[in-house]
Amino acid sequence: QVQLVESGGGVVQPGRSLRLSCAASGFTFSIYGMHWVRQAPGKGLEWVAFISYDEKKKYYADSAKGRFTISRDNSKNTLYLQMNSLRAEDTAVFYCARDYLPFDSNGVGPWGQGTLVTVSS
Amino acid sequence: SSELTQDPAVSVALGQTVRMTCQGDSLRSSYATWYQQKPGQAPILVIYGKNNRPSGIPDRFSGSSSGNTASLTISGAQAEDEADYYCDSRDSSGNLLFGTGTKVTVL
């Protein structure tokens, strides 16, 4: 079955960097667009970034532009999020999620279980 | 406007019908997608496109839209439908925008 497993979260000081990974299995990773979505404690969902199946398109939320970089390695079935210059307001559970359909931007799912990033001194 | 506004909370009696809305300018040119999130769990996709349900989603869930407003209807709500529901849409730049979320309580 489809599995998305995030890793790399933890406690980090403001201004430092962190790299999240998402290991995908159970489907042909290389034909699906992928997203990172975050959720601050007790808050709603906030889309962070998207990468197309072929890496040709990358989109970022304004809050992520210039600080976060989304990438993927289709040979390793893995999605990444490099986060630099982290701020307290970046504290959230970060979810990896797949476009529902291949080569299509209509609906996001399934989602991983998330990895918690806490930015604190 | 680049926001998607949802009612903060709605309640529904067991077995009755509830409708929740999502409003925003981006909905004039793209369909809303709907997600269900239960406490401590990741969201799951319930409606995408015009009114499509992924496999495993009960047919009591349906979506519709008119102008800048999209709606999710649960017909015959069950106790397990109690959750937070989020809409989203994609803007012309390919960015995804989530709504503010609606907490559904089944009485």
Side-chain angles (χ1 to χ4, degrees), chain B:
Chain B
S1 166
S2 60
E3 296 179 340
L4 290 178
T5 303
Q6 299 181 244
D7 299 321
V10 297
S11 60
V12 57
L14 186 66
Q16 298 302 301
T17 295
V18 63
R19 188 182 192 187
M20 65 196 86
T21 62
C22 172
Q23 284 190 303
D25 289 343
S26 61
L27 296 177
R28 295 186 184 279
S29 56
S30 68
Y31 290 115
T33 299
W34 292 91
Y35 305 87
Q36 176 194 73
Q37 186 181 33
K38 297 181 180 179
Q41 297 183 18
I44 62 169
L45 177 66
V46 293
I47 292 289
Y48 69 97
K50 188 174 183 179
N51 180 22
N52 301 301
R53 285 175 287 106
S55 59
I57 301 300
D59 61 6
R60 62 179 179 271
F61 290 90
S62 62
S64 61
S65 68
S66 177
N68 72 335
T69 301
S71 300
L72 175 69
T73 301
I74 309 175
S75 303
Q78 302 299 303
E80 60 264 32
D81 300 334
E82 187 162 289
D84 293 328
Y85 290 83
Y86 295 91
C87 61
D88 86 25
S89 73
R90 300 198 189 203
D91 66 18
S92 56
S93 301
N95 297 337
L96 206 61
L97 178 65
F98 283 101
T100 50
T102 296
K103 182 177 182 61
V104 172
T105 300
V106 179
L107 304 172

Side-chain angles (χ1 to χ4, degrees), chain A residues 6 17 26 34 36 38-39 42 44 46-48 51 58 63 68 82 87 90-91 101-103 105 108-109 111-112:
Chain A
E6 303 93 337
S17 298
M34 298 293 296
W36 287 101
R38 69 183 180 182
Q39 187 169 35
E46 181 189 13
W47 173 77
V48 175
I51 186 168
K58 297 181 183 181
S63 58
F68 294 0
Q82 176 68 42
R87 308 164 179 163
D90 294 318
T91 294
L101 297 173
F103 313 115
S105 56
V108 178
W111 300 53

Side-chain angles (χ1 to χ4, degrees), chain A residues 26-71:
Chain A
F27 65 100
T28 306
F29 181 71
S30 60
I31 64 173
Y32 287 88
M34 298 293 296
H35 301 260
W36 287 101
V37 178
R38 69 183 180 182
Q39 187 169 35
K43 302 297 184 181
L45 301 174
E46 181 189 13
W47 173 77
V48 175
F50 165 81
I51 186 168
S52 61
Y53 68 97
D54 58 0
E55 301 185 76
K56 290 183 178 179
K57 298 177 184 176
K58 297 181 183 181
Y59 305 129
Y60 297 92
D62 287 346
S63 58
K65 283 178 185 174
R67 299 190 302 130
F68 294 0
T69 301
I70 190 170
S71 63

